[in-house]
Amino acid sequence: MVDDDKLQQLKERIDTAEISNSPPSNQKKENGAGFGFKISTEIIAALVVGVGIGLIVDKYLGTKPFGLIIFFIFGAIAGFLNVYRVMRRIEKQ
C-alpha cells in the first residue's frame, strides 16, 4: 500500500514536470514592429523589382518614361497582392 502511494506521487510529479518543461506551441504571436517590417519589406521589394525592370526595359527599347511607369504600377500591384496573401495567412492562424 505504501509503495503504491509513493508510486502514484512519483507519477504525478513526473507528469507535472513534463507539462512544465514542454516546449511552447508553434503558433507564436508576432509583435507589431515585426509585422510592420514584414509588410513594408513586401511592398518595397516589389516596387524595387518593378522599377528595376522598368529601367532596363526603357534602356533597351528606348521608351524613356513608359516602361518605368508601367512596371512601377505592376510592382505596386504585386506588392499589395503579397501583403494580401500575408494577411490571409495570418488570419487563418
Side-chain angles (χ1 to χ4, degrees):
M1 281 290 186
V2 175
D3 290 335
D4 290 338
D5 290 337
K6 287 183 180 180
L7 282 175
Q8 185 64 25
Q9 289 175 354
L10 180 62
K11 185 175 182 180
E12 288 174 5
R13 288 177 53 198
I14 290 173
D15 290 340
T16 304
E18 286 178 349
I19 290 172
S20 64
N21 290 332
S22 65
S25 65
N26 290 340
Q27 294 181 351
K28 63 177 184 174
K29 300 252 183 206
E30 286 191 47
N31 59 5
F35 179 70
F37 184 71
K38 180 186 281 188
I39 296 299
S40 63
T41 302
E42 292 283 345
I43 292 175
I44 290 172
L47 286 173
V48 166
V49 169
V51 167
I53 292 173
L55 289 173
I56 291 171
V57 166
D58 281 342
K59 182 179 179 180
Y60 287 112
L61 297 180
T63 58
K64 191 66 170 179
F66 297 112
L68 178 63
I69 293 169
I70 290 170
F71 282 98
F72 176 81
I73 292 170
F74 284 158
I77 291 170
F80 287 117
L81 283 175
N82 288 341
V83 169
Y84 177 71
R85 289 182 192 135
V86 168
M87 295 296 285
R88 281 188 37 205
R89 190 178 327 131
I90 290 173
E91 188 177 87
K92 286 181 182 179
Q93 293 176 355

